[in-house]
Amino acid sequence: MTFSCQRNEKLKINESLLRGKTFNLIEKSKNDTLTFEFKDSTYYVFEFGDGNIPWRISHYDSSNFLVLDNRVIGIKQVKENQFECTYIGLSESDFVMIKKDSPWNKDKLYGEWIEEKYFGTKLSDLPPAPNSLMDSVTDWPPYYKITESSITNNLYKKTTSELEINNSNEFLLMKLMNPLTDGNEYSWRIKKLNDSIMIIDRERQKYFDSYADMEYNIKLIKKR
């Protein structure tokens, strides 16, 4: 009896194995990949922009279940930071969950970044902006300034947003007003980063629109 209890304890998965980590979820049949970040009691799906969704680990006998809101998933650990999972529903699907490590140091993000299309330009090179914006220009070319907790854009009019950087340093979440597009920037996905270049996919949404626009492979150059 003692042996059985020890065996069941050893098989158990607890929240600490997932909490504070980012995982690739790879569906075996389709090779589709989603990126999940698990927080204390909620998770975020970066491809969909879905966040603050509750999650927990549950146990029944010697089986472990990952509960994502109202979805129940059987889960077992196959190696450190890698899990095999089966979604339990009317139709089942199998996927693998693998922890993502950061491909670069977070400190490389910090600083001032100029979008390539503005690099080496003068304000007079661009179509005129509304007078209300032109009167606000004090510096050119425009740049993003990234710190640990905020992002600022000084394109015509200076705007600042709180910033959340995920723990693999690849996703930046914000609500940054863009005066030219009459809307907000909500997220960046960093595809390449070094001391001088950053390549991103950028999500923007205009006020009153029901959908967001994605801009791909935007090149930023670090200001020296």
Side-chain angles (χ1 to χ4, degrees):
M1 184 69 178
T2 303
F3 172 80
S4 176
C5 291
Q6 289 177 340
R7 184 173 181 274
N8 287 344
E9 281 298 317
K10 187 175 180 180
L11 288 174
K12 278 190 176 180
I13 293 174
N14 58 59
E15 280 92 348
S16 65
L17 295 175
L18 307 182
R19 185 184 295 119
K21 299 176 183 178
T22 300
F23 288 85
N24 276 338
L25 274 69
I26 306 167
E27 190 171 353
K28 292 181 178 180
S29 61
K30 300 178 182 177
N31 288 324
D32 287 343
T33 301
L34 294 176
T35 311
F36 274 55
E37 179 158 292
F38 292 94
K39 301 182 181 181
D40 284 345
S41 60
T42 62
Y43 68 92
Y44 196 98
V45 188
F46 291 101
E47 285 77 9
F48 298 146
D50 291 341
N52 299 320
I53 305 171
W55 73 278
R56 66 185 178 91
I57 294 290
S58 181
H59 307 283
Y60 179 76
D61 195 11
S62 61
S63 298
N64 305 286
F65 299 95
L66 171 62
V67 183
L68 301 177
D69 197 10
N70 60 353
R71 297 176 178 86
V72 178
I73 297 163
I75 182 171
K76 66 178 180 180
Q77 187 172 16
V78 292
K79 60 176 71 172
E80 185 177 8
N81 293 320
Q82 183 170 330
F83 302 85
E84 288 188 352
C85 305
T86 299
Y87 170 65
I88 301 170
L90 292 177
S91 60
E92 295 184 355
S93 60
D94 297 325
F95 58 91
V96 179
M97 205 162 68
I98 303 173
K99 179 178 177 288
K100 285 176 67 70
D101 293 316
S102 179
W104 41 68
N105 191 298
K106 185 183 290 188
D107 290 344
K108 289 185 183 293
L109 289 168
Y110 304 146
E112 297 174 351
W113 296 89
I114 302 170
E115 194 170 335
E116 185 181 39
K117 68 180 180 180
Y118 297 120
F119 196 82
T121 66
K122 297 179 290 187
L123 182 57
S124 58
D125 294 335
L126 301 181
N131 288 333
S132 60
L133 295 180
M134 292 294 289
D135 294 342
S136 303
V137 176
T138 59
D139 195 8
W140 196 265
Y143 57 85
Y144 291 98
K145 182 177 181 180
I146 299 174
T147 70
E148 239 181 306
S149 58
S150 69
I151 181 168
T152 298
N153 185 6
N154 75 333
L155 177 59
Y156 294 103
K157 183 179 181 180
K158 187 175 181 179
T159 60
T160 299
S161 167
E162 292 182 355
L163 178 67
E164 183 178 349
I165 303 171
N166 87 307
N167 57 60
S168 66
N169 305 326
E170 295 173 281
F171 295 91
L172 276 60
L173 304 179
M174 66 198 77
K175 190 177 181 180
L176 182 65
M177 188 183 79
N178 187 307
L180 279 184
T181 61
D182 192 27
N184 292 313
E185 293 183 33
Y186 285 101
S187 69
W188 290 6
R189 180 173 192 160
I190 302 171
K191 303 168 83 170
K192 177 181 178 180
L193 177 65
N194 58 39
D195 291 332
S196 57
I197 299 294
M198 177 163 31
I199 307 293
I200 66 169
D201 293 340
R202 179 170 59 192
E203 179 191 22
R204 287 175 165 173
Q205 186 168 358
K206 293 183 179 180
Y207 301 131
F208 310 116
D209 277 0
S210 59
Y211 60 90
D213 292 320
M214 289 298 301
E215 299 174 307
Y216 298 97
N217 298 317
I218 306 298
K219 185 176 182 180
L220 304 173
I221 301 169
K222 198 157 198 178
K223 187 176 177 182
R224 299 299 180 184

